[in-house]
Amino acid sequence: MANILEVKNLFKVYNVKSENVVVLRNINLEMQDGEFLILFGPSGCGKSTLLNTILGLETISSGSVNLLGKQISNLSQDQLADIRKNNVGIVYQQPNWVKSLNVLENVAFPLLIKGIKRDVALKKAKEKLALVEMTNWTEYYPVDLSSGQQQKVALARALINEPKVLIADEPTGNLDYKSSNSLMGIFRDLSNQGISILLVTHNLVNLDYADRVARMFDGQIVEYIDAKKISEKKLDEMLHPTDVTNSTSYKLSFN
Ligand code: ADP
Ligand code: MG
C-alpha cells in the first residue's frame, strides 16, 4: 500500500435549519506512509470535520476516504471503532483521563481494557512514556501535571497500541510557546522513527516540524506547501489569507 490515506473529491454538507451548509468542498488529500502532514487553517475552516470524516466519526456527503487501505464508508460502526482503537493513535486538544488512575495506568489503560496482563501493559506504558520524555512522572496523577506534560502523556497513550498513524487535532491548542515546541519536537521524533502523522493546527510556529502543510480555507484545501521551504513572506500570506471562494455555487449544487 503506497498511501496511508487517500481522500478523493470529499464533500461534507450539514443541514442546518433546512439549509445546506457546505463545510468541506472537494477535498483531495493523499498521505504517504511515514509522512508528517499538517492541516493548517483558521478556526472554523473545517479541519476537525475533515479529521472526523477520515476517522469515520462523521459521515461523508460525497467522495471517498481510504484509510490504511480501507474504504471508510464501506465499514460498519464496529469496524470503524476497531480501526480507531487498534490502528490509529488519536490526540485531542484536551485529554480525557481516568481520574482514579495515575499516569502510568492511564497510558496502559487501552491495553488493560483489552484484557492484556497488568505487568505486560504497565511495561509497555513505561516504554511509551520514555518516548515522550515523561519517565519521571509515572506515579503522578495526570491532573497534577501541567497542560504540556499532560499532552505528552496523552501522546504516550495514543502510541500504546503501536499505531501506524497518529491523528492529532490541535494538540498544542492549550499550550504556551515553549510546551508547544517541546510537544511538536516529540511529534517530529516519532515521525523520524517512521510513524505517519496527520496533525491539525492553526498555529504558524508549528508548521516547520512537519514535512508538508495542507493549507485550508473555508472548507477547501487551497494549497500544499513544502514545510521546509516556508519563507517569511509565505508566513505573512498565510496569516492574512485573502482567498475568495464562491460558496453559493456549492450550496446550490446540494439543494
Ligand atoms: P475547525 O476545526 O477548522 O475550527 P470545524 O471543522 O470544527 O472547523 O467546523 C467547520 C465548520 O463547520 C464551522 O463553520 C462549524 O460551525 C460547522 N460545523 C461543524 N459541525 C457542525 C454540525 N454538526 N452542524 C452544523 N455545522 C457544523
Ligand atoms: Mg477544530
Side-chain angles (χ1 to χ4, degrees):
M1 188 186 57
N3 287 328
I4 287 276
L5 173 69
E6 279 179 22
V7 178
K8 287 199 180 126
N9 307 114
L10 173 70
F11 283 78
K12 175 66 184 176
V13 184
Y14 284 114
N15 195 273
V16 184
K17 294 186 193 151
S18 80
E19 203 195 320
N20 287 333
V21 179
V22 186
V23 171
L24 297 176
R25 329 145 175 256
N26 204 24
I27 301 282
N28 285 286
L29 178 67
E30 286 183 4
M31 223 180 111
Q32 288 177 353
D33 197 355
E35 190 175 19
F36 185 171
L37 178 70
I38 281 184
L39 278 177
F40 170 82
S43 177
C45 72
K47 304 181 298 296
S48 294
T49 307
L50 179 53
L51 288 194
N52 288 338
T53 57
I54 289 167
L55 289 167
L57 293 164
E58 294 269 10
T59 57
I60 62 181
S61 303
S62 67
S64 66
V65 174
N66 187 304
L67 177 65
L68 298 166
K70 297 202 173 72
Q71 209 62 34
I72 286 297
S73 52
N74 291 344
L75 301 178
S76 68
Q77 289 302 320
D78 281 353
Q79 288 169 317
L80 289 170
D82 186 63
I83 289 184
R84 286 193 295 269
K85 207 160 63 186
N86 296 310
N87 306 111
V88 182
I90 307 177
V91 181
Y92 291 106
Q93 181 167 350
Q94 194 80 51
N96 254 315
W97 302 118
V98 182
K99 296 230 165 49
S100 58
L101 301 182
N102 67 22
V103 162
L104 185 65
E105 293 162 334
N106 264 285
V107 173
F109 192 67
L111 297 181
L112 295 171
I113 54 171
K114 272 191 196 170
I116 288 174
K117 281 209 321 225
R118 187 174 165 86
D119 56 336
V120 175
L122 294 183
K123 183 164 176 273
K124 190 90 172 279
K126 258 187 201 148
E127 285 168 25
K128 299 306 173 195
L129 282 162
L131 282 180
V132 301
E133 300 155 9
M134 287 298 288
T135 303
N136 294 334
W137 302 87
T138 51
E139 304 297 319
Y140 284 70
Y141 286 85
V143 290
D144 294 329
L145 305 180
S146 72
S147 305
Q149 290 171 322
Q150 288 191 40
Q151 284 302 65
K152 290 183 185 178
V153 177
L155 182 50
R157 182 179 57 186
L159 293 169
I160 198 78
N161 281 312
E162 311 286 350
K164 262 192 94 62
V165 55
L166 274 174
I167 293 189
D169 193 352
E170 307 261 14
T172 67
N174 285 331
L175 307 187
D176 58 64
Y177 182 79
K178 198 161 163 255
S179 321
S180 175
N181 279 316
S182 172
L183 189 72
M184 289 304 294
I186 293 172
F187 274 107
R188 182 67 248 175
D189 291 344
L190 292 168
S191 167
N192 293 346
Q193 290 162 35
I195 295 183
S196 308
I197 301 172
L198 178 59
L199 184 147
V200 156
T201 186
H202 64 257
N203 195 346
L204 282 171
V205 302
N206 289 339
L207 300 188
D208 62 359
Y209 288 94
D211 299 320
R212 199 158 61 108
V213 176
R215 183 161 73 86
M216 285 186 75
F217 191 78
D218 198 14
Q220 285 179 297
I221 293 178
V222 289
E223 64 178 335
Y224 286 100
I225 308 155
D226 181 340
K228 300 287 172 282
K229 294 182 186 155
I230 301 178
S231 62
E232 291 288 324
K233 181 168 171 287
K234 186 82 223 169
L235 281 177
D236 192 59
E237 266 174 45
M238 289 200 282
L239 210 49
H240 305 102
T242 53
D243 313 69
V244 180
T245 49
N246 182 354
S247 44
T248 322
S249 59
Y250 283 107
K251 244 180 213 166
L252 288 176
S253 66
F254 274 89
N255 275 336

